[in-house]
């Protein structure tokens, strides 16, 4: 299992567009990718739930990756956060 | 006439007839089914059709409103594929043995509610997206897809609310404006209206939809957020004029921003703007003026209850120079008196203030006021391209006195080790017939002339600007005034000075050709006239 934390820099947070892209990215991997904020969590592959977390700029999220390709998936998702959020 | 108020999301005016947007029948019936698998297959088919429609909508949006705005339809496609969303539909069908339409509608309600309940206006607006994709699936299930709203001809589309897909689906050439009873400025519909350049007013309330009917006359003012139903003649005339002015302005902005001020035969003119306060700089930049040809420094005195300090003035001048980033800024020294009175100057009441103690006359009689302003100006000069000009000149000796004071102030600054620019241009206003007549003697003393046509006309024609009874005798195109300007231009050029016009006449496009033929080098007009004058300049051919 791989875990990392990230503080959102984008002012609006995980809004529709990045959520959509993140979900797309997450589906590329076999591993289960979970985003957690303040005790609420959602699968990164699920667009609506992801948006439902209501992650805003300044919020810190914890990302957990578990599965066969967790190494690559964690790296890719972290990369995605840095580039888009 | 009834006026409704909402929020304008795109500033423009539209007049026309209403077309009430008919939603696809969203009322979904619930009924019992036997074969859950078959019903789930119906959903799957409808969902695939919806995805294909969204792909097409995305291409249409890409062409019409650009990539950023088209993305919403990509997101809609992703929402259609969302696992939880689809699981919810399928499990409702399987567990309750209900029809597909109902399962989709119920799922839509649940997800929309989740978004509506969030404490974030952006996410709340996403509820509309969920309903939009769900209605699309339902329309495909019932076979209602593809039917457009009842729009005929070019009209003002009125609806309770418009989904982004509905907004983009509409034929842009048939839409004059959008008016919705609900909706937020954050909604994609509002954003799309903005990028489609269509006037839109949202959130006018349900009363409007109750009163609106197909074919009713209506005016939408996207600037103020007002919607006029059955407008009266006066309102129609007023808004038609507003619409005309706005369209003209936008046309000029689009066509002429960034373009050079040059005639067809290659003659370049400097087109500057007049301002009366630091706050107007935004308008100068927006309208793309090449510089500031007249910055009236009076506001510093008029806004104050005591003489503005050197520091106060320095700050203001520096701000203007810095904001204009290297473009020339010509600041006119104090022009108070006549119609502009300031209490703390303690001036006597005059019989004839226009011919009285004003402008440079005050400065020369009370040099301490003048010196403070000059020190502030010279100090600020290192922050840009400064020009200083002096108002109400009538004689050579006045100019000589002014120049002597300037030299003295510079020497004083130098002694104190304070920097000033050595590129400052010094000019005088030509606004008295005297100055124009002796312009051959004034020109060698200065870098430039700037013609103040309002005062020059008043003094030449002996017509008080403030007296409405003599208005009919004021001919702004009077030959005497034009001859004085021409004379000044000739004399300026003979002595190596340049000449501009900063009075109201500079914006009179019926005279632009006359001025250019006289050899006027610069025209300075209100920011809102810059592009209109540029338009005129660029159509002129002086070789003919």
């Amino acid at each position: 299992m791989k875990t990392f934390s990230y503080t959102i820099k984008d002012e609006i947070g995980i809004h529709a567009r990045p959520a959509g892209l993140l979900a797309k990215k997450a589906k590329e991997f076999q591993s289960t990718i979970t985003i957690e904020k303040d005790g609420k969590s959602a699968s990164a592959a699920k667009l609506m739930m992801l948006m439902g977390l209501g992650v805003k700029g300044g919020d810190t999220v914890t990302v957990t990756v578990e599965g066969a390709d967790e190494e690559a998936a964690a790296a890719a998702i972290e990369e995605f956060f840095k580039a888009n959020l | 006439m009834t006026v409704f108020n909402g929020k304008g999301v795109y500033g423009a005016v539209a007049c026309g007839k209403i077309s009430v947007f008919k939603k696809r029948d969203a009322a979904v019936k619930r009924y019992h089914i036997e074969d859950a698998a078959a019903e789930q297959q119906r959903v799957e088919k409808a969902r695939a059709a919806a995805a294909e429609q969204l792909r097409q909508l995305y291409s249409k949006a890409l062409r019409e409103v650009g990539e950023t705005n088209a993305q919403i339809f990509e997101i809609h496609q992703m929402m259609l594929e969302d696992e939880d969303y689809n699981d919810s539909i399928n499990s409702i069908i399987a567990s309750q043995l209900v029809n597909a339409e109902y399962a989709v509608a119920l799922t839509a309600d649940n997800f929309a509610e989740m978004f509506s309940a969030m404490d974030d206006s952006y996410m709340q607006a996403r509820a509309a997206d969920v309903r939009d994709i769900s209605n699309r699936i339902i329309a495909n299930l019932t076979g209602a897809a593809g039917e457009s709203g009842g729009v005929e001809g070019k009209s003002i589309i009125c609806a309770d609310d418009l989904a982004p897909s509905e907004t983009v689906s509409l034929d842009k050439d048939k839409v004059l404006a959008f008016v919705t009873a609900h909706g937020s400025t954050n909604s994609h519909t509002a954003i799309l209206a903005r990028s489609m350049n269509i006037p839109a007013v949202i959130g006018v309330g349900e009363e409007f939809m109750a009163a609106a009917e197909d074919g009713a006359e209506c005016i939408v003012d996207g600037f103020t957020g007002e919607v006029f139903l059955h407008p009266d003649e006066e309102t129609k005339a007023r808004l038609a004029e507003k619409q005309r002015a706005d369209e003209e302005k936008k046309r000029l902005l689009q066509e002429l921003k960034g373009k050079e001020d040059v005639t067809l035969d290659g003659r370049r003119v400097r087109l500057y703007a007049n301002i009366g306060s630091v706050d107007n700089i935004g308008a100068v930049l927006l309208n793309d003026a090449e510089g500031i040809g007249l910055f009236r420094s009076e506001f510093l005195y008029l806004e104050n209850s005591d003489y503005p300090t050197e520091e106060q003035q320095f700050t203001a001048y520096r701000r203007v120079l810095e904001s204009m980033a290297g473009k020339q800024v010509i600041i006119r020294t104090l022009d108070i008196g006549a119609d502009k009175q300031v209490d703390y100057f303690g001036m006597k009441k005059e019989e004839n203030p226009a011919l009285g103690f004003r402008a440079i006359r005050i400065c020369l009689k009370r040099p301490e006021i003048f010196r403070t302003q000059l020190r502030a100006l010279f100090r600020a000069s290192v922050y840009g391209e400064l020009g200083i000009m002096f108002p109400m000149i009538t004689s050579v000796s006045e100019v000589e006195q002014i120049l002597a004071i300037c030299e003295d102030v510079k020497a004083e600054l130098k002694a104190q080790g304070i920097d000033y620019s050595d590129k400052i241009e010094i000019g005088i206003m030509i606004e008295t017939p005297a100055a124009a007549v002796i312009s051959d003697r004034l020109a060698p003393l200065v870098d430039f002339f700037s013609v103040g046509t309002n005062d020059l006309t008043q003094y030449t024609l002996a017509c008080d600007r403030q007296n409405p009874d003599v208005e009919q005798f004021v001919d702004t195109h009077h030959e005497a005034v034009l001859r004085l300007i021409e004379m000044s231009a000739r004399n300026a050029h003979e002595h190596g000075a340049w000449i501009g016009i900063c009075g109201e006449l500079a914006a009179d496009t019926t005279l632009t050709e006359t001025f250019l033929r006289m050899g006027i080098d610069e025209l300075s007009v209100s920011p809102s006239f810059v592009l209109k004058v540029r338009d005129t300049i660029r159509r002129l051919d002086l070789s003919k």
Side-chain angles (χ1 to χ4, degrees):
Chain A
M1 192 179 80
K2 303 275 298 173
T3 298
F4 68 89
S5 289
Y6 184 83
T7 303
I8 307 294
K9 291 176 189 67
D10 186 295
E11 218 174 290
I12 322 176
I14 305 188
H15 49 103
R17 183 177 142 63
L21 293 174
L22 180 57
K24 217 172 173 177
K25 179 115 275 181
K27 282 184 194 157
E28 290 172 16
F29 301 96
Q30 290 170 24
S31 301
T32 312
I33 302 161
T34 312
I35 313 283
E36 192 206 305
K37 189 203 114 183
D38 301 337
K40 280 205 298 180
S41 65
S43 158
K46 293 179 175 179
L47 174 60
M48 303 244 208
M49 285 301 161
L50 202 51
M51 283 164 67
L53 284 181
V55 177
K56 292 191 204 100
D59 287 350
T60 300
V61 293
T62 308
V63 182
T64 312
V65 187
E66 198 166 8
D69 55 359
E70 60 185 37
E71 216 42 73
I77 298 297
E78 189 160 13
E79 191 59 35
F80 177 89
F81 269 98
K82 280 180 187 156
N84 296 288
L85 288 159
Chain B
M1 182 173 78
T2 325
V3 187
F4 297 88
N5 286 292
K7 269 211 165 112
V9 292
Y10 177 73
V13 177
C15 316
K17 292 203 163 38
I18 284 181
S19 171
V20 178
F21 185 80
K22 292 172 192 72
K23 290 261 179 197
R24 299 186 193 103
D25 192 3
V28 167
K29 286 195 187 75
R30 177 185 198 271
Y31 55 86
H32 179 78
I33 50 122
E34 297 294 339
D35 187 348
E39 205 61 20
Q40 285 167 346
Q41 260 174 17
R42 278 187 67 216
V43 175
E44 192 43 45
K45 236 179 101 185
R47 203 170 64 91
E52 179 50 33
Q53 287 154 8
L54 282 170
R55 260 189 293 279
Q56 285 170 15
L57 214 49
Y58 175 73
S59 323
K60 183 172 193 274
L62 206 56
R63 283 194 306 272
E64 287 180 6
V65 295
E67 204 200 331
T68 320
N69 292 308
Q71 271 160 3
I72 182 63
F73 300 113
E74 224 181 356
I75 289 160
H76 280 187
Q77 290 176 54
M78 291 180 191
M79 284 180 156
L80 269 185
E81 284 163 24
D82 186 71
E83 265 178 65
D84 294 316
Y85 179 77
N86 289 301
D87 286 354
S88 159
I89 295 171
N90 286 328
S91 80
I92 290 170
I93 292 174
S95 63
Q96 302 185 30
L97 288 177
V98 286
N99 57 320
E101 291 86 348
Y102 178 78
V104 175
L106 189 58
T107 302
D109 281 346
N110 291 339
F111 279 90
E113 227 161 79
M114 172 186 92
F115 286 122
S116 298
M118 289 171 75
D119 61 349
D120 172 338
S121 67
Y122 173 84
M123 283 301 172
Q124 284 165 5
R126 300 287 71 76
D129 292 327
V130 178
R131 293 198 190 282
D132 194 6
I133 60 157
S134 305
N135 285 337
R136 180 170 294 283
I137 300 178
I138 293 170
N140 279 294
L141 281 167
T142 57
E147 273 174 33
S148 67
V151 187
E152 283 160 34
K154 238 175 146 68
S155 56
I156 295 170
I157 309 293
C158 301
D160 279 329
D161 205 350
L162 280 172
S165 63
E166 289 166 341
T167 314
V168 169
S169 304
L170 290 166
D171 186 350
K172 210 173 145 186
D173 297 329
K174 288 185 177 172
V175 180
L176 284 174
F178 293 122
V179 180
T180 64
H182 306 286
S184 76
T185 41
N186 239 337
S187 69
H188 280 288
T189 304
I191 297 164
L192 289 171
R194 272 193 287 264
S195 65
M196 290 159 93
N197 296 346
I198 292 173
V201 174
I202 59 167
V204 289
E206 275 162 21
E207 312 80 57
F208 172 76
M209 284 311 289
E213 49 191 56
D214 278 338
E217 227 180 322
C218 181
I219 301 179
V220 179
D221 186 338
F223 293 101
T224 59
E226 286 169 305
V227 177
F228 305 89
L229 190 60
H230 307 299
D232 56 34
E233 291 305 316
E234 193 213 318
T235 308
K236 273 198 245 178
R238 181 169 66 81
L239 273 295
E241 174 52 28
K242 188 168 179 180
Q243 182 181 28
R244 197 201 55 74
D246 172 57
E247 283 173 358
E248 171 75 0
K249 201 172 121 199
K250 282 178 182 144
R251 183 184 68 80
L252 290 175
L253 267 175
Q254 202 170 15
E255 287 175 15
L256 297 170
K257 237 181 133 169
K259 294 274 168 62
E260 277 190 77
D261 298 302
V262 60
T263 61
L264 290 170
D265 55 316
R267 169 79 190 284
R268 271 196 48 74
V269 192
R270 279 181 281 159
L271 187 51
Y272 285 4
N274 298 339
I275 60 170
S277 142
V278 184
D279 302 336
N280 302 141
I281 294 171
V284 173
L285 297 172
L286 177 73
N287 289 286
D288 201 28
E290 276 183 73
I292 292 174
L294 166 61
F295 179 61
R296 304 179 185 89
S297 61
E298 292 83 75
F299 83 97
L300 284 165
Y301 297 84
L302 295 166
E303 282 172 1
N304 256 21
S305 52
D306 199 353
Y307 297 100
T309 63
E310 179 182 321
E311 219 47 44
Q312 260 178 322
Q313 296 193 51
F314 166 73
T315 309
Y317 302 148
R318 176 180 166 171
R319 251 189 75 195
V320 181
L321 285 160
E322 283 182 334
S323 309
M324 290 303 290
K327 291 180 174 177
Q328 188 169 38
V329 176
I330 297 173
I331 299 177
R332 180 176 70 188
T333 58
L334 177 65
D335 187 12
I336 244 152
D339 50 329
K340 284 171 265 181
Q341 290 293 338
V342 183
D343 290 345
Y344 58 83
F345 272 70
M347 298 210 290
K348 280 184 285 199
K349 188 146 178 52
E350 292 174 302
E351 268 313 305
N352 226 332
L355 304 181
F357 190 46
R358 59 173 288 199
I360 202 69
R361 297 169 181 179
I362 299 176
C363 290
L364 291 174
K365 259 190 124 166
R366 297 178 62 179
E368 73 287 356
I369 297 174
F370 195 35
R371 289 180 75 100
T372 304
Q373 182 167 33
L374 287 173
R375 274 183 64 99
L377 283 166
F378 280 115
R379 280 176 58 200
S381 67
V382 294
Y383 296 97
E385 287 293 313
L386 177 66
I388 305 175
M389 71 176 170
F390 303 98
M392 273 300 283
I393 299 297
T394 57
S395 73
V396 170
S397 91
E398 283 161 2
V399 179
E400 285 171 344
Q401 283 179 66
I402 291 165
L403 296 177
I405 297 173
C406 284
E407 286 312 309
D408 200 46
V409 167
K410 282 203 266 186
E412 188 180 276
L413 288 172
K414 204 168 205 166
Q416 293 171 326
I418 298 171
D419 278 345
Y420 57 87
S421 166
D422 52 9
K423 292 179 303 184
I424 306 169
E425 286 199 307
I426 299 289
I428 54 170
M429 297 277 295
I430 301 288
E431 54 188 338
T432 65
V437 171
I438 59 161
S439 51
D440 60 323
R441 299 203 40 220
L442 297 172
L445 302 174
V446 295
D447 299 307
F448 68 92
F449 286 161
S450 186
V451 183
T453 53
N454 304 359
D455 270 332
L456 186 60
T457 305
Q458 138 165 297
Y459 295 132
T460 306
L461 304 182
C463 286
D464 187 343
R465 277 160 71 171
Q466 313 293 321
N467 185 345
D469 291 336
V470 298
E471 214 179 288
Q472 58 169 305
F473 301 100
V474 180
D475 172 9
T476 54
H477 292 199
H478 198 291
E479 198 185 343
V481 178
L482 295 178
R483 280 200 209 180
L484 288 173
I485 299 174
E486 187 175 24
M487 184 195 252
S488 307
R490 203 172 48 239
N491 286 326
H493 290 153
E494 235 165 66
H495 294 92
W498 60 267
I499 180 166
I501 298 178
C502 66
E504 265 165 48
L505 228 46
D508 184 337
T509 49
T510 62
L511 284 175
T512 309
E513 178 168 2
T514 308
F515 289 148
L516 295 199
R517 288 196 187 277
M518 285 177 186
I520 298 298
D521 303 286
E522 173 244 29
L523 292 168
S524 192
V525 301
S526 296
S528 61
F529 288 126
V530 168
L531 293 169
K532 190 174 149 222
V533 176
R534 175 171 298 167
D535 194 29
T536 305
I537 292 170
R538 291 176 61 84
R539 289 166 196 270
L540 286 178
D541 186 349
L542 302 174
S543 67
K544 283 183 188 155

